[in-house]
Amino acid sequence: MNICHSLNERRRIGKKSIAVLVDPDKIEDVGQLSPLLRLASENCVDFFFAGGSLVTTNNLSAVIGAIKESTSIPIVLFPGSAMQIEPSADAILFLSLISGRNPDLLIGQQVAAAPILKNTSLEILPTGYILISSGKTTSVAYISNTTPIPEDKYSLAACTALAGEMLGLKIIYLDAGSGAEREVNQKMINAVRKSVEVPLIVGGGINTPQKAFRALEAGADLIVIGNALEKDPQLLTEIADTVYEWNQQLTSQ
Ligand code: 1GP
């Protein structure tokens, strides 16, 4: 399956998607993933994202192996650095942190990763990654040594996304950071939505069906849920239902 094509097709018809983020650092034993994998299959989750800001363990391939063994849901790497490449996944968010001014994350890591990726069959998803402030400093803001865009600077985020699209990036990812106190607000999502045509991913701090709905309503094409499911995997059913209901209402129109 070509993931970029599929995201664009869904966007064209207004269909929304949901991804579950698994941070390998938080998994001591892949067996602990079982309940989440079962729920993800039952609830027709569209993608798994795998990665984290700080991968200190080397169980990324074991985590991907466990996901593959029990589901056929596509796995997209969401790397914190060029070191986090695992060829057994299906695709990789080839991120450029365009909200920051850290050259290493704008182009340096990508230069290191490109020749490695060339020898894999991973689908490359060129993605403009935009961090939005969300209260407390998040791991990703700290590790990336960049300042997130203030959550009320809508036009700054919109122009950043537009520049990313003009540079040829195929996806924009608005992230408040994992476990964010405040998710990306609707006005921000909407401002960015209006500025670009490419699929829009939104994540960080989405931990209730209401927050998920607000992100979809404001224009997110794909929402990413990670932290909240580490605490309560059952929450996936409620959040996935929100996406399902949104998509159902399209078919009944
Ligand atoms: C973080 O967007 C992802 O980069 C998901 O965030 O872990 O808060 O759901 P959460």
Side-chain angles (χ1 to χ4, degrees):
M1 164 163 111
N2 182 309
I3 292 174
C4 196
H5 177 74
S6 142
L7 283 174
N8 277 297
E9 272 307 292
R10 288 170 191 229
R11 165 148 174 64
R12 199 177 54 77
I13 56 173
K15 202 168 164 194
K16 310 287 188 177
S17 310
I18 176 168
V20 168
L21 172 65
V22 178
D23 182 347
D25 262 354
K26 312 248 177 84
I27 312 294
E28 280 162 29
D29 165 16
V30 290
Q32 83 190 66
L33 278 172
S34 301
L36 184 62
L37 297 178
R38 187 178 41 77
L39 285 164
S41 293
E42 284 171 8
N43 289 287
C44 303
V45 159
D46 299 287
F47 305 101
F48 272 104
F49 280 9
S53 320
L54 182 76
V55 172
T56 53
T57 51
N58 55 2
N59 59 3
L60 181 58
S61 88
V63 164
I64 291 173
I67 299 174
K68 289 205 144 179
E69 219 167 85
S70 55
T71 79
S72 55
I73 300 169
I75 306 167
V76 179
L77 298 174
F78 178 30
S81 78
M83 307 308 290
Q84 294 172 29
I85 297 173
E86 173 47 54
S88 59
D90 298 293
I92 181 167
L93 293 177
F94 197 51
L95 301 169
S96 181
L97 181 49
I98 57 176
S99 58
R101 298 296 177 267
N102 177 345
D104 194 41
L105 297 175
L106 277 165
I107 186 63
Q109 293 281 327
Q110 295 80 346
V111 172
I116 303 168
L117 290 171
K118 187 84 180 157
N119 289 320
T120 70
S121 53
L122 290 166
E123 181 186 344
I124 311 294
L125 303 169
T127 302
Y129 190 43
I130 300 179
L131 291 178
I132 304 295
S133 67
S134 59
K136 276 192 295 192
T137 304
T138 56
S139 303
V140 61
Y142 180 80
I143 297 283
S144 67
N145 198 16
T146 66
T147 309
I149 294 180
E151 60 194 315
D152 58 350
K153 301 290 184 219
Y154 313 111
S155 57
L156 194 50
C159 293
T160 303
L162 181 60
E165 186 179 64
M166 286 177 170
L167 280 165
L169 298 170
K170 301 281 189 264
I171 295 171
I172 294 293
Y173 190 153
L174 276 183
D175 199 344
S178 196
E181 264 182 334
R182 293 191 295 274
E183 75 283 11
V184 182
N185 65 66
Q186 277 197 307
K187 211 167 160 187
M188 178 61 88
I189 298 172
N190 196 250
V192 172
R193 171 70 290 152
K194 284 188 182 142
S195 74
V196 293
E197 288 302 319
V198 296
L200 180 60
I201 303 178
V202 176
I206 299 177
N207 53 13
T208 64
Q210 293 75 15
K211 288 181 186 177
F213 182 81
R214 285 202 291 270
L216 301 180
E217 188 183 44
D221 296 300
L222 166 62
I223 53 169
V224 185
I225 323 287
N227 209 267
L229 303 177
E230 288 160 15
K231 295 177 189 142
D232 177 13
Q234 295 296 334
L235 193 61
L236 181 57
T237 306
E238 289 175 55
I239 296 183
D241 273 354
T242 307
V243 179
Y244 178 79
E245 279 162 24
W246 182 288
N247 291 337
Q248 279 302 105
Q249 140 229 296
L250 293 174
T251 47
S252 60
Q253 269 170 13

